[in-house]
Amino acid sequence: MAKQRKALITGITGQDGSYLCELLLSKNYEIYGMVRRASHVPFERIKGIVDRIHILDADLTDQTSIDDIVSSVKPDEIYNLAAQSFVPTSWNQPLLTGEVTALGVTRLLNAMRRHAPKSRFYQASSSEMFGKVLEVPQKETTPFYPRSPYGVSKVYGHYITINYRESYGLYAVSGICFNHESPRRGLEFVTRKVTHGTARIKLGLADELPMGNLKAKRDWGFAGDYVEAMWLMLQQKEPDDYVLATGEIHTVEELLKTSFAAVDLDWRKYVRVDKRFLRPAEVDLLCGDPTKAKRKLGWKPKVNFKQLIDMMVESDLEQLRKG
Ligand code: NAP
Ligand code: G4F
């Protein structure tokens, strides 16, 4: 029988970490989830599977704790999904964002280089690196122009991953992920804010939804599809970087229309623009070209935009009804 493979997932309590963990359990991996200390139990997204995995305390800002877990586990695969991932927070906390989202990647790569150099490393890069886009659609060769401390930090994480691959021969790769969402998305991100807001209005729990820039365009996919590509990227003969996207774009206005239509409401009656949700520098348009991932990994997203938003509205209605 083949040896059970060990995967270390940082950010396992986040949206992507929870889907990836489920996927790897279904493939019979032994899972080690890195979790930072909190004053509350942060296992909401993994509550159904937490008994089947090993939880290890460490923080991406702390080299000692990272070294300890990598040297004790010696994982076959490392997925670095942990980050300060909310763009607006990165203007309020630019140094923390840099420590976690940028330097955290180097800390983990250093630990891998020292203690598990044969491991395979996935870095969660972001379409936010394209920022004020220099080409449409964006592909692996499109130059970066980040527009937030978050985007700048992700550019650092991206290049340090490539640099460690080229300097030390590590199997270290970056997935340049475009926005991917799910019922487990944090409430502050626009899709979930809209689907949760829609459900609250439908159930009479709210009567308006304050929003930011309605003209922004994004390439939105389903998180469950994207974690499959992350896994595929670590199963290749040669390490390489990939754009992961749907190739389809929608405005925030279309998102509102689709979400409210799912409960037979007209979004225009409830939405108002609130300046507090506008950003110091906006990313107007993100549209990915997933051709390389399709060709080399055989990956393509299965859930389309309407199915995704319907799934999220349905889930929010159900959760709110339960109370
Ligand atoms: P998320 O839901 O915000 O999850 C972030 C995770 O990082 C959480 O588990 C969080 O732990 C953990 N974390 C934060 N700071 C940490 C620290 N100092 N040490 C250890 N862990 C820490 O993000 P996501 O949507 O799943 O995204 C996963 C990754 O993909 C992130 O790196 C994100 O930047 C990147 N990405 C996401 C998208 C997207 O559309 N979702 C697109 C491109 C790239 P707590 O639970 O304790 O907060
Ligand atoms: O949902 P968002 O906050 O996501 P954003 O900024 O695109 O970042 C997400 O995707 C990145 C990949 O491209 C990830 F790397 C990152 O970690 C994160 O997951 O905002 C999407 C768009 C923006 O243009 C924003 O200005 O929606 C616009 N928007 C309009 N009104 C709003 C709102 N965004 C939020 N969060 N809240 C609003 O009220």
Side-chain angles (χ1 to χ4, degrees), residues 288-306:
D289 176 356
T291 305
K292 180 175 167 186
K294 279 186 184 158
R295 187 166 39 86
K296 292 200 160 179
L297 303 176
W299 176 80
K300 67 170 192 255
K302 299 182 192 94
V303 177
N304 72 27
F305 177 70
K306 184 173 180 313

Side-chain angles (χ1 to χ4, degrees), residues 85-87 126-128 150 177-179 185 188-191 193 210-213 216 218 252 277 279 282-283 286:
S85 74
F86 190 47
V87 172
S126 166
S127 49
E128 278 288 308
Y150 170 81
C177 284
F178 283 63
N179 301 51
R185 187 61 142 149
E188 66 276 34
F189 297 92
V190 74
T191 51
K193 177 174 171 180
M211 295 288 303
N213 176 14
R218 287 291 183 277
V252 172
F277 297 106
R279 299 177 179 189
E282 177 62 289
V283 170
L286 289 175

